[in-house]
Amino acid sequence: MSGVVIVGAQWGDEGKGKVVDLLAEHASAIVRFQGGNNAGHTIVRDGEEFKFHLIPSGILYPDKLCMIGNGVVLDPRILLGEIDGLKRRGIDVGNLRISANAHLIMPYHVLLDTAGEVKLGKLSIGTTRRGIGPCYADKALRLGIRVQDLLDEKILRKKIMAALEPKQQALRELSVQRRKLRKEAGEGGREGADPSVAEAPDPRLDLHAMTEEFAGYGHRLEPHIADTARLCWEELDNDRTVLFEGAQATLLDLDHGTYPFVTSSNPIAGAATVGAGVGPTDISAVWGVAKAYATRVGAGPFPTELDDEVGRHMLERGHEYGTTTGRERRCGWIDLVALRYAVRLNRMSALAITKLDVLSGIDTLRAAVRYRSREGAIFDTFPYHQSILHSAVPEYEELPGFDADLTECRSETDLPAQARAYLDFVADFVGVPIRLVGVGPGRDQVLWIGGEPEVL
Ligand code: GDP
Ligand code: IMO
Ligand code: MG
């Protein structure tokens, strides 16, 4: 029996999609357990690029079960778009299963997400504006609409009515603020400051039209809707390996990340049990994925952020533009204080370090090994207090850089000594072996340390 969780160890976009695709070779099923289409997971196979927002990154294998677990929030329009896109490319999605208990992102969630961000102005979180936060809020309020509700139009209508009612006030307020919103949208050129948020009545919020539209999605999704927890048990109880594919990342975790600059779910390994419906003892390994440097999209503390030539190098060489929103990612040095925190929080058993190739051409590499607070106090561990973190100044260990192009390296011995020393330093500092190293976006552009594992 083997359940393997794959989690982001930093602020997201570490290359989880690629690592899941590689590890899936050793598994029979792949499950997404949290988040929604705020995620964007990329796989590059034979020069062909695939970007998944909701569909698990195992879908390119025709013989593996791919599940969207109960912990996911699902926008059916986006999912159907992804299914259609894959079909057009000749990829079979017959093995896709969707939990009947997953919650649906409704049009009002998307509107409220955008409106909330616009209202926060300079204090905005920089969400992906996909309705994630409002959807999880409704789930906690017990006003959520679930995938199973799509299959009964009467129930669906009643639930939409109940969920819409308490939002009318907020949506009305927004329409009163119409002019203000429009002005802000014009001034800041803010993406997603959708002027129609303020239009009343908004046709997207019409109860009958919405019910009909969503019932239509239900018809299309019905063949995929299943009891996914039971399907996971079947795999695990028959000694097959299940991969639990994390989205977002540890430092974006609602409880353990840099709150309030976080997402609205728990991307850490522990959440795989709740979000897929398995027990903690079903999990036998946890792989963390981290870049050889660090990036962050959206607002919030990022102690090692660089606003210089090196940061520019990382942005350009690493093509650091959001997979979901296209936004430029903020770039900086690897933060080993934060990474060691992520290792412990997820109790990682292995690390995959991606994008090592991006660091070539930098003279001296730096890795943050402690923080100094404004008052001069030293922090060897990740500070829980927001004010300390916001003003933390990292202190670095310097390591020699390397110039060679790594993209053709396929084994540890192909790497320049400086690159190996850098990886050793990271692994020693955080206390977890690095098992996989990425040297390019392609599926084959990796090297396994200690050989490709037979058991994960
Ligand atoms: P995810 O959200 O964690 O799955 O990561 P994303 O797909 O959002 O972003 C990772 C980006 O880096 C994608 O464009 C990948 O194709 C690319 N990538 C992954 N691994 C490597 C690597 O080792 N080197 C380089 N240069 N690019 C990589
Ligand atoms: P993957 O799975 C990077 C960030 C947003 C914002 C914060 C909250 O591709 O690594 P949300 O829309 O979730 O309410 O936004 O979280 N964020 C991500 N950053 N990668 C992601 O997913 C992210 N999903 C959300 O930029 O700062
Ligand atoms: Mg991503």
Side-chain angles (χ1 to χ4, degrees):
M1 177 172 73
S2 176
V4 179
V5 189
I6 292 147
V7 288
Q10 296 162 318
W11 279 283
D13 304 322
E14 298 92 347
K16 298 177 289 295
K18 174 176 163 174
V19 173
V20 169
D21 179 38
L22 286 165
L23 297 186
E25 213 154 301
H26 305 272
S28 65
I30 299 92
V31 200
R32 274 280 307 267
F33 59 88
Q34 45 71 232
N37 61 303
N38 45 352
H41 296 180
T42 315
I43 297 176
V44 181
R45 276 196 182 191
D46 303 323
E48 215 188 322
E49 191 175 60
F50 296 87
K51 292 175 191 250
F52 300 117
H53 301 289
L54 281 163
I55 292 189
S57 300
I59 199 74
L60 300 182
Y61 297 88
D63 58 337
K64 306 209 189 276
L65 200 54
C66 283
M67 294 179 258
I68 297 180
N70 56 277
V72 169
V73 287
L74 185 154
D75 187 328
R77 291 167 298 183
I78 303 292
L79 179 60
L80 285 163
E82 262 185 65
I83 291 175
D84 291 341
L86 281 171
K87 282 186 181 161
R88 276 197 298 275
R89 294 170 79 169
I91 312 285
D92 179 34
V93 293
N95 281 343
L96 177 68
R97 299 287 179 277
I98 304 163
S99 168
N101 290 346
H103 279 250
L104 295 171
I105 296 182
M106 303 298 289
Y108 43 85
H109 293 139
V110 181
L111 294 175
L112 288 170
D113 193 358
T114 295
E117 284 286 275
V118 171
K119 208 168 175 183
L120 280 172
K122 278 192 192 130
L123 299 176
S124 71
I125 292 158
T127 75
T128 58
R129 302 187 179 196
R130 299 300 190 262
I132 308 295
C135 183
Y136 276 117
D138 266 358
K139 176 178 176 176
L141 283 169
R142 277 102 4 125
L143 281 175
I145 298 170
R146 297 187 295 171
V147 167
Q148 57 182 282
D149 300 325
L150 292 173
L151 303 179
D152 184 322
E153 201 165 323
K154 247 164 97 184
I155 292 180
L156 181 62
R157 177 174 287 107
K158 273 193 189 153
K159 291 204 174 181
I160 297 180
M161 194 155 64
L164 256 179
E165 201 268 330
K167 293 174 186 68
Q168 298 297 8
Q169 176 64 20
L171 293 166
R172 249 195 311 272
E173 258 176 42
L174 291 170
S175 74
V176 172
Q177 289 174 353
R178 175 180 166 185
R179 279 177 56 208
K180 190 172 164 242
L181 288 170
R182 282 234 166 103
K183 197 168 152 237
E184 281 190 31
E187 274 174 9
R190 304 181 67 84
E191 62 165 319
D194 185 347
S196 60
V197 166
E199 300 289 353
D202 189 319
R204 288 171 295 183
L205 297 176
D206 178 80
L207 173 66
H208 298 289
M210 204 189 303
T211 308
E212 230 168 82
E213 182 190 341
F214 275 70
Y217 299 144
H219 286 304
R220 286 202 57 201
L221 293 175
E222 193 167 3
H224 299 284
I225 300 174
D227 181 352
T228 50
R230 199 167 291 280
L231 294 177
C232 284
W233 304 338
E234 241 169 72
E235 297 303 302
L236 293 164
D237 295 346
N238 283 295
D239 273 340
R240 294 191 286 262
T241 299
V242 177
L243 288 192
F244 298 89
E245 176 178 0
Q248 292 78 54
T250 304
L251 298 169
L252 291 172
D253 185 275
L254 182 59
D255 288 77
H256 300 281
T258 54
Y259 192 91
F261 300 99
V262 292
T263 191
S264 301
S265 70
N266 293 108
I268 60 169
T273 61
V274 179
V278 300
T281 49
D282 282 315
I283 308 297
S284 49
V286 177
W287 283 62
V289 187
K291 282 180 200 182
Y293 48 101
T295 64
R296 175 163 204 170
V297 208
F302 182 7
T304 62
E305 183 169 14
L306 291 170
D307 185 20
D308 62 7
E309 274 309 297
V310 178
R312 217 59 236 159
H313 170 111
M314 291 164 176
L315 177 81
E316 280 159 20
R317 292 282 288 271
H319 303 288
E320 296 296 354
Y321 299 92
T323 310
T324 298
T325 57
R327 288 176 292 177
E328 254 184 31
R329 296 177 183 143
R330 300 154 67 192
C331 297
W333 296 116
I334 197 164
D335 183 341
L336 297 182
V337 182
L339 189 58
R340 190 163 56 186
Y341 171 68
V343 163
R344 183 60 189 91
L345 202 50
N346 292 288
R347 203 33 147 166
M348 284 175 203
S349 42
L351 258 177
I353 298 288
T354 60
K355 300 194 130 179
L356 186 63
D357 53 300
V358 173
L359 294 184
S360 84
I362 300 174
D363 280 349
T364 302
L365 301 174
R366 303 176 109 193
V369 292
R370 68 186 80 82
Y371 302 146
R372 189 179 287 274
S373 76
R374 213 192 328 245
E375 291 74 28
I378 294 288
F379 286 85
D380 292 312
T381 56
F382 198 70
Y384 66 85
H385 203 291
Q386 194 183 348
S387 316
I388 293 171
L389 188 61
H390 280 253
S391 64
V393 177
E395 295 195 345
Y396 293 102
E397 184 79 18
E398 293 197 343
L399 293 108
F402 49 91
D403 254 336
D405 174 8
L406 303 190
T407 56
E408 301 297 324
C409 295
R410 293 296 176 270
S411 82
E412 202 185 347
T413 49
D414 295 340
L415 291 175
Q418 299 90 328
R420 268 182 289 168
Y422 181 74
L423 293 174
D424 287 345
F425 183 78
V426 170
D428 284 349
F429 193 92
V430 301
V432 163
I434 296 171
R435 304 277 301 275
L436 182 69
V437 179
V439 291
R443 176 172 214 283
D444 58 323
Q445 289 180 300
V446 286
L447 46 101
W448 296 94
I449 297 188
E452 183 165 354
E454 279 176 19
V455 180
L456 300 177

